[in-house]
Amino acid sequence: MLNSGINVLFEGINMQRLLMGLLVTARVAVFSIIIGCTLGTIIGVIRTSKSKIIKMVFRIYLELFRIIPILVWLFVFYFVLPADFNINLDAEIVSIIVFSLWGAAEMSDIVRGALISLPKHQVESGKAIGLNTIQLYWYILIPQSLKRTLPSAINLATRMIKTTALLVMIGVIEVVKVGQQIIEHANLKNPTASFWVYGFIFFLYFIMCYPLSKLSQRLERKWAS
Amino acid sequence: MNLDWSYMIDQIPLYKKALILTIKLAFWGILLSTIIGLICSIIQYSKVKVLRNIVQGYIELSRNTPLLIQLFFLYYGLPKMGITIEAELCAIIGLAFLGGSYMTEALRAGIEAVPVTQIETAKAIGLSNSQLIRYILLPQAVTSSVPALGANCIFLLKETSIFSGIAILELTNTTKDLIGMFYKTNESLLMLVIGYLIILLPMSLLLSWLERRVRHAEFGY
């Protein structure tokens, strides 16, 4: 009786369905990580500028995403856009937008931190040998700050993957939702189904995030010395 | 965008209740996770291999899985195996399980930052291991990890929004319910954001004040 629930995972095409759900989760995560990191790097470079207004605007943007929980942001975008602006977006697109904006905000802080932690003479010597701004960033600043940003950026990526579990709350059919459907279907025959299905999803998230966080730890240790 | 102010005033009692519940759950969760963090970081400092491995496993497990799934597992999965836990208790356990590992990491960094000379001196003047931890290690470790602990507190407070997944009527879930009932999207969401700001702004001010005080106590500036 106790162990019969695990069979739910292998019944019919259940495993296949769960993995397809995982694909949706992974798709949202990958798209928003790519968009977020690219946008975040650009914003991070902009934030090193001297102008007070630019600094202030992006600071407010960052703090807004830090202070208000991501779930609330998902609700704001999912409910307000159709109600006020008559924009009906797919829940998956909404979540990619929110996650990208959040990722960009966090990434910009990482990039900015790395850029301003570089020794000042690097910029000065670069300018002295006549590099223009783009060359300065491309050949001098970005390669050096990459070492400092990469571990934190990977950490951010694991956080984003973990947070994709929230997608189920705005009705994206991803791995958690598929799990719920399977549980509801099997509930009468197999009362212990929920234990095994949620346990399995728990395990799936773990094997997605564990290698990444180990990689980030290793890079941090390797580059710290 | 026209806001229906009378509707918002009508809903204040509901939001007040939700706010108090959020604070209550966050308080217990943060308290428990700090205790777990203290115990686990001391275990990691001690050289007992078995215990260290258990703690390491716990940290990896809780850091690499989302809170929502942990809560679903606790709330929907465990009752089927004969362990029934009340929703609010589930939420507190889940938050403590997640927060414990973050607090451990923060305190561990603090312990590692204590200079070796301090520990050697303490041993040289004949302090026992428990005295060393209590009088030398922890006071210095806690002061230097205050910023990280504070950031964790804010992180855990925000994570309470995920409790709406297991039918706890905290701020986010209340809002979701109200949107479903009255379709006053803007008003409800505005109240929600104000609710979080009421908790988080004083908290973040308090934490930066605390950080300054601690730094002042430690370095005198």
Side-chain angles (χ1 to χ4, degrees), chain A residues 112-130:
Chain A
R112 191 191 65 103
L115 282 177
I116 59 173
S117 76
L118 286 177
K120 213 172 174 191
H121 61 76
Q122 292 284 341
V123 181
E124 283 161 1
S125 337
K127 277 184 184 153
I129 59 170

PDB file of all heavy atoms in Angstrom, chain A residues 112-130:
ATOM      1  N   ARG A 112      27.681  46.070 -12.008  1.00  0.00           N
ATOM      2  CA  ARG A 112      28.146  47.361 -11.509  1.00  0.00           C
ATOM      3  C   ARG A 112      29.182  47.161 -10.397  1.00  0.00           C
ATOM      4  O   ARG A 112      30.237  47.791 -10.375  1.00  0.00           O
ATOM      5  CB  ARG A 112      26.967  48.175 -10.963  1.00  0.00           C
ATOM      6  CG  ARG A 112      27.272  49.600 -10.654  1.00  0.00           C
ATOM      7  CD  ARG A 112      26.138  50.214  -9.879  1.00  0.00           C
ATOM      8  NE  ARG A 112      26.011  49.561  -8.582  1.00  0.00           N
ATOM      9  CZ  ARG A 112      26.438  50.104  -7.444  1.00  0.00           C
ATOM     10  NH1 ARG A 112      26.971  51.290  -7.451  1.00  0.00           N
ATOM     11  NH2 ARG A 112      26.316  49.453  -6.309  1.00  0.00           N
ATOM     12  N   GLY A 113      28.861  46.231  -9.487  1.00  0.00           N
ATOM     13  CA  GLY A 113      29.784  45.963  -8.391  1.00  0.00           C
ATOM     14  C   GLY A 113      31.141  45.526  -8.902  1.00  0.00           C
ATOM     15  O   GLY A 113      32.184  45.972  -8.413  1.00  0.00           O
ATOM     16  N   ALA A 114      31.125  44.647  -9.932  1.00  0.00           N
ATOM     17  CA  ALA A 114      32.398  44.154 -10.472  1.00  0.00           C
ATOM     18  C   ALA A 114      33.157  45.276 -11.162  1.00  0.00           C
ATOM     19  O   ALA A 114      34.373  45.391 -11.019  1.00  0.00           O
ATOM     20  CB  ALA A 114      32.136  43.019 -11.447  1.00  0.00           C
ATOM     21  N   LEU A 115      32.444  46.119 -11.903  1.00  0.00           N
ATOM     22  CA  LEU A 115      33.125  47.187 -12.650  1.00  0.00           C
ATOM     23  C   LEU A 115      33.769  48.201 -11.714  1.00  0.00           C
ATOM     24  O   LEU A 115      34.909  48.607 -11.929  1.00  0.00           O
ATOM     25  CB  LEU A 115      32.137  47.894 -13.592  1.00  0.00           C
ATOM     26  CG  LEU A 115      31.790  47.154 -14.879  1.00  0.00           C
ATOM     27  CD1 LEU A 115      30.765  47.935 -15.665  1.00  0.00           C
ATOM     28  CD2 LEU A 115      33.031  46.932 -15.725  1.00  0.00           C
ATOM     29  N   ILE A 116      33.032  48.589 -10.656  1.00  0.00           N
ATOM     30  CA  ILE A 116      33.637  49.624  -9.797  1.00  0.00           C
ATOM     31  C   ILE A 116      34.688  49.034  -8.864  1.00  0.00           C
ATOM     32  O   ILE A 116      35.453  49.773  -8.256  1.00  0.00           O
ATOM     33  CB  ILE A 116      32.583  50.425  -8.984  1.00  0.00           C
ATOM     34  CG1 ILE A 116      31.766  49.494  -8.102  1.00  0.00           C
ATOM     35  CG2 ILE A 116      31.681  51.257  -9.859  1.00  0.00           C
ATOM     36  CD1 ILE A 116      30.846  50.242  -7.163  1.00  0.00           C
ATOM     37  N   SER A 117      34.741  47.692  -8.777  1.00  0.00           N
ATOM     38  CA  SER A 117      35.778  47.124  -7.913  1.00  0.00           C
ATOM     39  C   SER A 117      37.106  46.968  -8.648  1.00  0.00           C
ATOM     40  O   SER A 117      38.122  46.656  -8.037  1.00  0.00           O
ATOM     41  CB  SER A 117      35.323  45.769  -7.368  1.00  0.00           C
ATOM     42  OG  SER A 117      35.442  44.796  -8.368  1.00  0.00           O
ATOM     43  N   LEU A 118      37.091  47.203  -9.972  1.00  0.00           N
ATOM     44  CA  LEU A 118      38.348  47.115 -10.714  1.00  0.00           C
ATOM     45  C   LEU A 118      39.234  48.307 -10.366  1.00  0.00           C
ATOM     46  O   LEU A 118      38.729  49.402 -10.152  1.00  0.00           O
ATOM     47  CB  LEU A 118      38.071  47.128 -12.228  1.00  0.00           C
ATOM     48  CG  LEU A 118      37.485  45.857 -12.826  1.00  0.00           C
ATOM     49  CD1 LEU A 118      37.203  46.083 -14.287  1.00  0.00           C
ATOM     50  CD2 LEU A 118      38.419  44.696 -12.641  1.00  0.00           C
ATOM     51  N   PRO A 119      40.548  48.070 -10.312  1.00  0.00           N
ATOM     52  CA  PRO A 119      41.444  49.188  -9.983  1.00  0.00           C
ATOM     53  C   PRO A 119      41.318  50.315 -11.007  1.00  0.00           C
ATOM     54  O   PRO A 119      41.155  50.070 -12.204  1.00  0.00           O
ATOM     55  CB  PRO A 119      42.844  48.570 -10.041  1.00  0.00           C
ATOM     56  CG  PRO A 119      42.661  47.118 -10.136  1.00  0.00           C
ATOM     57  CD  PRO A 119      41.265  46.817 -10.498  1.00  0.00           C
ATOM     58  N   LYS A 120      41.433  51.545 -10.505  1.00  0.00           N
ATOM     59  CA  LYS A 120      41.183  52.694 -11.351  1.00  0.00           C
ATOM     60  C   LYS A 120      42.237  52.840 -12.450  1.00  0.00           C
ATOM     61  O   LYS A 120      41.949  53.327 -13.540  1.00  0.00           O
ATOM     62  CB  LYS A 120      41.159  53.958 -10.488  1.00  0.00           C
ATOM     63  CG  LYS A 120      40.184  54.984 -11.020  1.00  0.00           C
ATOM     64  CD  LYS A 120      40.037  56.128 -10.070  1.00  0.00           C
ATOM     65  CE  LYS A 120      39.166  57.168 -10.741  1.00  0.00           C
ATOM     66  NZ  LYS A 120      39.153  58.428 -10.053  1.00  0.00           N
ATOM     67  N   HIS A 121      43.460  52.391 -12.135  1.00  0.00           N
ATOM     68  CA  HIS A 121      44.531  52.607 -13.123  1.00  0.00           C
ATOM     69  C   HIS A 121      44.293  51.807 -14.400  1.00  0.00           C
ATOM     70  O   HIS A 121      44.840  52.135 -15.446  1.00  0.00           O
ATOM     71  CB  HIS A 121      45.896  52.277 -12.511  1.00  0.00           C
ATOM     72  CG  HIS A 121      46.033  50.861 -12.063  1.00  0.00           C
ATOM     73  ND1 HIS A 121      46.217  49.828 -12.927  1.00  0.00           N
ATOM     74  CD2 HIS A 121      45.996  50.317 -10.824  1.00  0.00           C
ATOM     75  CE1 HIS A 121      46.310  48.708 -12.248  1.00  0.00           C
ATOM     76  NE2 HIS A 121      46.168  48.963 -10.968  1.00  0.00           N
ATOM     77  N   GLN A 122      43.458  50.770 -14.322  1.00  0.00           N
ATOM     78  CA  GLN A 122      43.133  50.010 -15.530  1.00  0.00           C
ATOM     79  C   GLN A 122      42.440  50.916 -16.549  1.00  0.00           C
ATOM     80  O   GLN A 122      42.790  50.923 -17.732  1.00  0.00           O
ATOM     81  CB  GLN A 122      42.207  48.852 -15.188  1.00  0.00           C
ATOM     82  CG  GLN A 122      42.839  47.766 -14.356  1.00  0.00           C
ATOM     83  CD  GLN A 122      43.755  46.881 -15.162  1.00  0.00           C
ATOM     84  OE1 GLN A 122      43.674  46.841 -16.380  1.00  0.00           O
ATOM     85  NE2 GLN A 122      44.656  46.199 -14.478  1.00  0.00           N
ATOM     86  N   VAL A 123      41.448  51.668 -16.069  1.00  0.00           N
ATOM     87  CA  VAL A 123      40.723  52.590 -16.958  1.00  0.00           C
ATOM     88  C   VAL A 123      41.678  53.653 -17.469  1.00  0.00           C
ATOM     89  O   VAL A 123      41.715  53.967 -18.660  1.00  0.00           O
ATOM     90  CB  VAL A 123      39.548  53.251 -16.206  1.00  0.00           C
ATOM     91  CG1 VAL A 123      38.791  54.174 -17.132  1.00  0.00           C
ATOM     92  CG2 VAL A 123      38.630  52.204 -15.628  1.00  0.00           C
ATOM     93  N   GLU A 124      42.484  54.200 -16.544  1.00  0.00           N
ATOM     94  CA  GLU A 124      43.368  55.303 -16.918  1.00  0.00           C
ATOM     95  C   GLU A 124      44.413  54.864 -17.936  1.00  0.00           C
ATOM     96  O   GLU A 124      44.674  55.567 -18.921  1.00  0.00           O
ATOM     97  CB  GLU A 124      44.020  55.888 -15.662  1.00  0.00           C
ATOM     98  CG  GLU A 124      43.039  56.776 -14.909  1.00  0.00           C
ATOM     99  CD  GLU A 124      43.441  57.016 -13.477  1.00  0.00           C
ATOM    100  OE1 GLU A 124      44.495  56.504 -13.056  1.00  0.00           O
ATOM    101  OE2 GLU A 124      42.685  57.698 -12.773  1.00  0.00           O
ATOM    102  N   SER A 125      44.999  53.675 -17.700  1.00  0.00           N
ATOM    103  CA  SER A 125      46.010  53.216 -18.676  1.00  0.00           C
ATOM    104  C   SER A 125      45.356  52.940 -20.009  1.00  0.00           C
ATOM    105  O   SER A 125      45.943  53.224 -21.060  1.00  0.00           O
ATOM    106  CB  SER A 125      46.725  51.951 -18.211  1.00  0.00           C
ATOM    107  OG  SER A 125      46.659  51.806 -16.850  1.00  0.00           O
ATOM    108  N   GLY A 126      44.138  52.377 -19.973  1.00  0.00           N
ATOM    109  CA  GLY A 126      43.431  52.105 -21.218  1.00  0.00           C
ATOM    110  C   GLY A 126      43.221  53.374 -22.008  1.00  0.00           C
ATOM    111  O   GLY A 126      43.451  53.429 -23.215  1.00  0.00           O
ATOM    112  N   LYS A 127      42.802  54.435 -21.294  1.00  0.00           N
ATOM    113  CA  LYS A 127      42.574  55.708 -21.965  1.00  0.00           C
ATOM    114  C   LYS A 127      43.891  56.290 -22.458  1.00  0.00           C
ATOM    115  O   LYS A 127      43.968  56.885 -23.534  1.00  0.00           O
ATOM    116  CB  LYS A 127      41.905  56.690 -21.007  1.00  0.00           C
ATOM    117  CG  LYS A 127      40.397  56.490 -20.938  1.00  0.00           C
ATOM    118  CD  LYS A 127      39.762  57.544 -20.068  1.00  0.00           C
ATOM    119  CE  LYS A 127      38.279  57.276 -19.917  1.00  0.00           C
ATOM    120  NZ  LYS A 127      37.764  57.812 -18.658  1.00  0.00           N
ATOM    121  N   ALA A 128      44.938  56.086 -21.662  1.00  0.00           N
ATOM    122  CA  ALA A 128      46.232  56.678 -22.008  1.00  0.00           C
ATOM    123  C   ALA A 128      46.784  56.103 -23.307  1.00  0.00           C
ATOM    124  O   ALA A 128      47.420  56.810 -24.076  1.00  0.00           O
ATOM    125  CB  ALA A 128      47.228  56.444 -20.869  1.00  0.00           C
ATOM    126  N   ILE A 129      46.521  54.799 -23.550  1.00  0.00           N
ATOM    127  CA  ILE A 129      47.023  54.261 -24.814  1.00  0.00           C
ATOM    128  C   ILE A 129      46.037  54.471 -25.947  1.00  0.00           C
ATOM    129  O   ILE A 129      46.174  53.905 -27.030  1.00  0.00           O
ATOM    130  CB  ILE A 129      47.412  52.768 -24.706  1.00  0.00           C
ATOM    131  CG1 ILE A 129      46.216  51.941 -24.285  1.00  0.00           C
ATOM    132  CG2 ILE A 129      48.565  52.571 -23.757  1.00  0.00           C
ATOM    133  CD1 ILE A 129      46.452  50.450 -24.400  1.00  0.00           C
ATOM    134  N   GLY A 130      45.015  55.292 -25.710  1.00  0.00           N
ATOM    135  CA  GLY A 130      44.161  55.759 -26.784  1.00  0.00           C
ATOM    136  C   GLY A 130      43.001  54.860 -27.171  1.00  0.00           C
ATOM    137  O   GLY A 130      42.541  54.905 -28.307  1.00  0.00           O
TER     138      GLY A 130
END
